[in-house]
Amino acid sequence: MGFSRFGLSVVAYSDFINDIRNEFAVCGGSISRATSPAAFFVAAATHHYGMRIRAYSPWCRILHIGLFKKNCYVSSCKSSACAVYSYHAGVGDIPRIYMEIVVGIACCYIGVFLLCTIMVCFSTTRSNNHNARISVCVPFRNERDHLDSNCRSLRNLNDTDYEILYSDDHSDDDSSAICEQHGFSVIRVTQGQGKLAALAAAVEKADGEIIVFTDADCVVTRSWLTALRNNLHDDVGLYVGAVAVERMPVMTLDFLCLVGVASALNTLGIPSSCPGANIAVKKSLFMEFYTNTASIHATEDAALLHYIHSTLRQKVRFIFSREHMVTTQPYTSVREFFSQRLRWVKGGIRLNPLLTVYLFFILTAHGLFFAFPSLLWVPVSCAAVFTLCVTVRMRHFSLLPFVPLYAIFFPIYTTLVGILYPFAGRSLQWKGRSL
């Protein structure tokens, strides 16, 4: 009686199911292979969705109810994983080996992000070098529109034992004059060109034990150096801070997510990348890196991280502190955003084969998830959980409402980066120079 409205006719395989069939006098549809009372109950309760099911366990049917749309057909499914894949993809009979490969990749993807989340949430820091002299070095090239705000923020730092050094990388405008108006001396690059040459010119003049790098288009907090001091330790060679993007919370979450992943990979012994707008390094280590670097890299910051971690065997520490964040200017175009991400990928692939494998896996998995949209919940959920944990760790609670939006954005843009990278070639540029 109660199930008659579903339009069921049941091929039953036990007396108990036969009794149920007789009592409710169902008619119309067709559900086969209901081999247990539980399977029958689930099939009967969901038939009003228009499903025709040939699954082999009640768990398969439960997954159908919770996850999938109506009017699809699932056949030859002997496991819940196969049922989930073929039903949601809407492809009918799929060779079992292909289903298992797809589900296996999804499980590996979840495992990678789960491991990264654990690494970020439970990492600890110690400090014992609070009184080190700090030199802040700011390289620039044609940054007249941003240097005024940068100079003002550096003048307002609440630290006492530090110096500010600006390095002009062959600017064509009056950027140097702006720095001088704020009372800062400017070092002009005479040997070589590019960001690495500008950094080296400033570091050679610096008298600090710790060298801090930021970009000319960034603004720092008053407690920027104080937060750094709270993390200084004799055993650490490089410190990496986070970057926020002005008026673009989703882009800020992307920076936080990437820094979180880089921190987790670093803990696992796989140096990846870091934002050059907010790093600190021991002066002696940087000079050794510069002396032994044969060419200028597309991402000098990533090259520095790899050299310190892999060659010098020094520790790298990622600082999860909102006070130590710097804020950069918003992107002016979609092209600028993708150009920056492609530059980072290009630099990372050049430096570490293990990082290449990791990037290839992530980008391939995202492409697979888009090929089978039923699996898109995997990258979206993983990105949401991981970004949420990093954001809470940073105590940047104002960004929490934007986490769901970023979780959707993450697999989309990373897939596009993977598609665009083979076609980027030598067209990538930074500050008007080809990379």
Side-chain angles (χ1 to χ4, degrees):
M1 305 295 183
F3 288 147
S4 62
R5 69 180 186 277
F6 296 140
L8 300 175
S9 76
V10 180
V11 179
Y13 290 83
S14 73
D15 293 337
F16 183 63
I17 294 179
N18 268 316
D19 291 339
I20 296 174
R21 180 198 59 187
N22 294 333
E23 181 176 352
F24 292 104
V26 294
C27 61
S30 176
I31 296 180
S32 64
R33 301 185 188 180
T35 56
S36 71
F40 172 78
F41 278 129
V42 174
T46 60
H47 189 72
H48 65 285
Y49 290 120
M51 289 196 258
R52 289 183 294 146
I53 302 172
R54 291 183 188 174
Y56 286 77
S57 72
W59 178 235
C60 289
R61 291 179 175 82
I62 293 172
L63 290 171
H64 295 162
I65 301 168
L67 298 177
F68 307 124
K69 300 177 181 178
K70 59 184 179 180
N71 296 322
C72 291
Y73 178 62
V74 180
S75 65
S76 304
C77 291
K78 296 186 179 181
S79 71
S80 56
C82 292
V84 169
Y85 174 79
S86 63
Y87 185 79
H88 196 22
V91 293
D93 288 317
I94 294 292
R96 184 174 180 180
I97 183 64
Y98 294 158
M99 299 182 200
E100 292 178 348
I101 290 174
V102 171
V103 174
I105 291 175
C107 291
C108 290
Y109 186 94
I110 294 172
V112 168
F113 269 87
L114 179 61
L115 182 60
C116 289
T117 302
I118 294 173
M119 292 293 181
V120 169
C121 291
F122 296 99
S123 62
T124 58
T125 59
R126 296 178 300 165
S127 61
N128 67 356
N129 193 15
H130 299 279
N131 299 320
R133 170 77 168 167
I134 294 177
S135 296
V136 179
C137 298
V138 186
F140 65 87
R141 172 177 166 79
N142 299 332
E143 294 283 0
R144 59 175 299 177
D145 295 333
H146 305 131
L147 273 170
D148 184 69
S149 57
N150 177 269
C151 291
R152 292 180 186 277
S153 68
L154 290 177
R155 287 174 64 102
N156 292 328
L157 291 171
N158 59 13
D159 197 80
T160 56
D161 191 13
Y162 71 96
E163 64 174 346
I164 308 292
L165 300 171
Y166 283 89
S167 182
D168 186 354
D169 178 22
H170 304 92
S171 294
D172 299 323
D173 58 13
D174 59 348
S175 297
S176 296
I178 296 175
C179 297
E180 293 168 348
Q181 289 173 5
H182 285 273
F184 297 118
S185 60
V186 177
I187 301 168
R188 289 171 173 80
V189 178
T190 57
Q191 296 182 350
Q193 65 176 13
K195 184 177 180 180
L196 186 58
L199 291 174
V203 173
E204 288 177 351
K205 300 290 185 179
D207 59 12
E209 176 186 352
I210 302 295
I211 309 297
V212 183
F213 300 134
T214 190
D215 290 342
D217 60 353
C218 291
V219 174
V220 304
T221 65
R222 280 181 52 82
S223 55
W224 181 50
L225 295 185
T226 303
L228 173 63
R229 288 189 185 278
N230 293 334
N231 287 272
L232 294 180
H233 196 280
D234 292 334
D235 294 337
V236 179
L238 180 69
Y239 305 85
V240 180
V243 178
V245 182
E246 185 179 355
R247 301 190 305 276
M248 302 183 87
V250 173
M251 296 296 100
T252 299
L253 286 172
D254 188 51
F255 268 104
L256 294 184
C257 180
L258 296 179
V259 168
V261 170
S263 173
L265 292 177
N266 181 76
T267 304
L268 295 173
I270 307 175
S272 55
S273 186
C274 59
N278 194 8
I279 59 177
V281 61
K282 290 181 178 179
K283 179 179 179 178
S284 58
L285 300 184
F286 177 85
M287 294 310 300
E288 183 173 349
F289 159 74
Y290 181 70
T291 301
N292 296 304
T293 300
S295 61
I296 296 179
H297 297 268
T299 50
E300 295 85 356
D301 39 25
L304 176 62
L305 185 150
H306 281 258
Y307 189 84
I308 289 177
H309 184 281
S310 303
T311 304
L312 301 181
R313 303 295 180 182
Q314 294 283 321
K315 292 181 180 180
V316 178
R317 173 173 293 178
F318 288 77
I319 302 176
F320 293 96
S321 169
R322 185 175 180 179
E323 290 74 21
H324 189 60
M325 290 183 71
V326 303
T327 302
T328 189
Q329 297 297 313
Y331 296 102
T332 58
S333 65
V334 175
R335 180 186 180 91
E336 181 185 1
F337 169 78
F338 278 101
S339 178
Q340 184 186 61
R341 296 305 186 268
L342 288 168
R343 187 173 74 248
W344 290 351
V345 172
K346 184 177 182 179
I349 288 177
R350 287 179 176 179
L351 294 169
N352 191 341
L354 288 178
L355 180 60
T356 303
V357 172
Y358 170 79
L359 292 174
F360 178 79
F361 169 74
I362 294 296
L363 296 177
T364 301
H366 286 181
L368 181 64
F369 296 151
F370 275 100
F372 300 96
S374 62
L375 297 174
L376 282 174
W377 66 270
V378 175
V380 171
S381 300
C382 289
V385 172
F386 181 75
T387 308
L388 179 66
C389 293
V390 176
T391 305
V392 172
R393 178 76 189 273
M394 292 287 297
R395 298 186 179 277
H396 209 317
F397 301 113
S398 62
L399 294 175
L400 293 180
F402 300 95
V403 169
L405 181 59
Y406 172 71
I408 297 173
F409 172 72
F410 174 72
I412 296 174
Y413 99 77
T414 51
T415 303
L416 289 175
V417 167
I419 295 173
L420 293 173
Y421 180 77
F423 304 99
R426 297 184 178 181
S427 62
L428 296 177
Q429 292 192 348
W430 184 80
K431 300 298 183 184
R433 299 184 179 125
S434 298
L435 300 174

